[in-house]
Amino acid sequence: MDSTGRGSVEDSCGGSVEDSGGGNVEDIGEGSIKDTGEAGVEDTGGGSVEETGGGSVEDTVGPACPSLILDRGGGIVEDTGQGSVEDPGHGIVADTGGGSVEDTGGGSVQDTGGGSVQDTGGGSVEDTGGGSVEDTGGGSVQDTGGGSVQDTGGGSVQDTGGGSVQDTGGGSVQDTGGGSVQDTGGGSVEDTGGGSVQDTGGGSVEDTGGGSVEDTGGGSVEDTGGGSVEDTGGGSVEDTGGGSVEDTGGGSVVDTGGGSVEDTGGGSVEDTGGGSVEDTGGGSVEDTGGGSVEDTGGGSVEDTGGGSVQDTGGGSVQDTGGGSVQDTGGGSVQDTGGGSVQDTGGGSVQDTGGGSVEDTGGGSVQDTGGGSVEDTGGGSVEDTGGGSVEDTGGGSVEDTGGGSVEDTGGGSVEDTGGGSVVDTGGGSVEDTGGGSVEDTGGGSVEDTGGGSVEDTGGGSVEDTGGGSVVDTGGGSAEDTDGGSVADTDMFSFYTCPCPTA
């Protein structure tokens, strides 16, 4: 049937209908319809519909007779059949059938069928079917079906289905489904599903699902799921999940989960979880969890957990936990826990815990705990605990605890505890405790305790305690107590008369 007039055309036969006039076309036959007029087309038959005019197209063909709709005009296309829809016009496409939709016009696409949607126009796409969506236009995409979404336009993507999302545009991505998200645009990513997130754009990433997050952009990452976080951008990372965090950017890391933290950037690290912390950047580390801390950067370390601390940077270390501290940097160490302290740097060591202290640096050591102190550096040692002190450096030793003191350095020794003193250095020895004093250095010995004094050095000996004095050095010996005196040197010897009863 051929009509060029403006009247309506009604066809119930099986032939084709070609209409170039302005009238409506109603076709219940199986033939094709070609309409270049401005009126609408209603097709319930099995033929294809080609519409180049401005009229709308309504196609209700069932699954048995799938038809093709090609619409070049600006009219609305409503398709409930199984056929595909190709729309290069600016009209709206509503597709509830299973066919594919290809839209190059600026109109919106609403698809509830299982077919794929390819949209290169600027309109929005709403897809509740299981098919894939490819959008290169600037419009937004809302997908509740299980298909994948590929978006290269600047619009936002909201995906509640299980399919993957690939976004290279600048719009935001909100994903509540289980699929993966790959975002190379500058927009933010919010993911509450279990899929992985790969973000190379500058936008922020908020992940509450169990998937991993890889961020190479400059945006912040907030992760409350159990997946791992790998961040090479300059943004901050906040992780409350149990996954590991690897940060090579300059941003700060806050970790309250049980996973490990590896930080090579210059930002600070705050860890309240039980995982280990490895920091090679210049930022500070605050650890309240039970994991170990390894710091090679110049920042300070504050550890209140039970894990060990290994610090090779120049920053200070404050440890209130029971773990050991190994410090090779120049910063100070303050330890109130029961763990051992090994310090090869030049910083001071303050230890109030019961652990041992080994210091080969030039800094001072203050020990109020019961552990032993071994000092080979040039700094002073102050020990009020019951542990022994071994000093081979040139610094002074002040010991008020009951432990023994062995000094081979040139510094002075002041001992008010009950332990013995062995001094082979050139410094003076002042002993008010009850322990013995053995001095082979050139310094003077002043003993007010009850212990014996053996002096083979060249210094003077003054003994007011009850112990014996053996002096083979060249110095003078003055003894006011009741003990024996044996002097084999060539210098003066003086003994106070003892009172008679």
Side-chain angles (χ1 to χ4, degrees):
M1 183 178 292
D2 188 1
S3 170
T4 57
R6 294 189 175 271
S8 62
V9 179
E10 182 175 346
D11 176 51
S12 57
C13 301
S16 63
V17 178
E18 184 172 347
D19 175 52
S20 58
N24 293 323
V25 178
E26 183 176 347
D27 176 51
I28 56 176
E30 297 184 357
S32 63
I33 299 177
K34 182 177 183 182
D35 177 53
T36 57
E38 297 179 357
V41 178
E42 183 177 349
D43 176 48
T44 58
S48 63
V49 179
E50 183 177 349
E51 156 77 358
T52 57
S56 62
V57 180
E58 183 176 348
D59 177 48
T60 58
V61 176
C65 305
S67 60
L68 165 68
I69 297 179
L70 174 61
D71 176 52
R72 291 191 175 89
I76 299 172
V77 179
E78 185 175 346
D79 175 49
T80 58
Q82 297 290 325
S84 62
V85 178
E86 186 175 345
D87 175 51
H90 290 275
I92 299 171
V93 179
D95 176 52
T96 57
S100 62
V101 178
E102 184 176 347
D103 175 55
T104 58
S108 62
V109 178
Q110 184 175 356
D111 176 54
T112 58
S116 63
V117 178
Q118 185 174 357
D119 175 56
T120 58
S124 62
V125 178
E126 183 176 347
D127 176 54
T128 57
S132 62
V133 178
E134 184 177 347
D135 175 56
T136 57
S140 63
V141 178
Q142 185 173 354
D143 175 55
T144 57
S148 63
V149 178
Q150 186 174 355
D151 175 57
T152 57
S156 62
V157 178
Q158 184 174 356
D159 175 55
T160 57
S164 62
V165 178
Q166 185 174 356
D167 176 56
T168 57
S172 62
V173 178
Q174 185 175 357
D175 175 55
T176 57
S180 63
V181 178
Q182 185 175 356
D183 175 57
T184 58
S188 62
V189 179
E190 183 177 347
D191 176 55
T192 57
S196 62
V197 178
Q198 186 175 358
D199 176 57
T200 58
S204 62
V205 178
E206 184 176 347
D207 175 56
T208 57
S212 62
V213 178
E214 183 177 347
D215 176 56
T216 58
S220 61
V221 178
E222 184 176 347
D223 176 56
T224 57
S228 63
V229 178
E230 184 176 347
D231 176 57
T232 57
S236 62
V237 178
E238 184 174 347
D239 175 56
T240 57
S244 62
V245 179
E246 184 176 347
D247 176 56
T248 57
S252 62
V253 179
V254 178
D255 176 55
T256 57
S260 62
V261 178
E262 183 176 347
D263 176 56
T264 58
S268 62
V269 178
E270 184 177 346
D271 176 55
T272 57
S276 63
V277 179
E278 184 176 347
D279 176 56
T280 57
S284 62
V285 178
E286 184 177 347
D287 176 56
T288 58
S292 63
V293 178
E294 184 176 346
D295 176 55
T296 58
S300 62
V301 179
E302 183 176 347
D303 176 55
T304 58
S308 63
V309 178
Q310 185 174 354
D311 176 56
T312 58
S316 62
V317 178
Q318 184 174 353
D319 176 55
T320 58
S324 62
V325 178
Q326 185 175 355
D327 175 57
T328 58
S332 62
V333 179
Q334 184 174 355
D335 176 56
T336 58
S340 62
V341 178
Q342 185 176 357
D343 176 56
T344 58
S348 62
V349 178
Q350 184 175 355
D351 176 55
T352 58
S356 62
V357 178
E358 183 178 345
D359 176 55
T360 57
S364 62
V365 179
Q366 184 176 358
D367 176 55
T368 58
S372 62
V373 178
E374 183 177 347
D375 176 55
T376 58
S380 62
V381 178
E382 183 178 346
D383 177 54
T384 58
S388 63
V389 178
E390 184 177 346
D391 176 55
T392 58
S396 62
V397 178
E398 183 178 347
D399 176 55
T400 58
S404 62
V405 178
E406 183 175 347
D407 176 54
T408 58
S412 62
V413 178
E414 183 177 345
D415 177 52
T416 58
S420 62
V421 178
V422 178
D423 176 54
T424 58
S428 62
V429 178
E430 183 177 347
D431 177 53
T432 58
S436 63
V437 178
E438 183 178 346
D439 176 53
T440 58
S444 63
V445 178
E446 183 177 347
D447 177 51
T448 58
S452 62
V453 178
E454 183 176 348
D455 176 52
T456 58
S460 63
V461 178
E462 183 177 347
D463 176 48
T464 59
S468 62
V469 178
V470 177
D471 177 42
T472 58
S476 62
E478 181 177 350
D479 177 47
T480 59
D481 65 1
S484 62
V485 178
D487 180 35
T488 59
D489 64 7
M490 301 301 294
F491 290 89
S492 63
F493 168 70
Y494 172 76
T495 302
C496 292
C498 298
T500 58

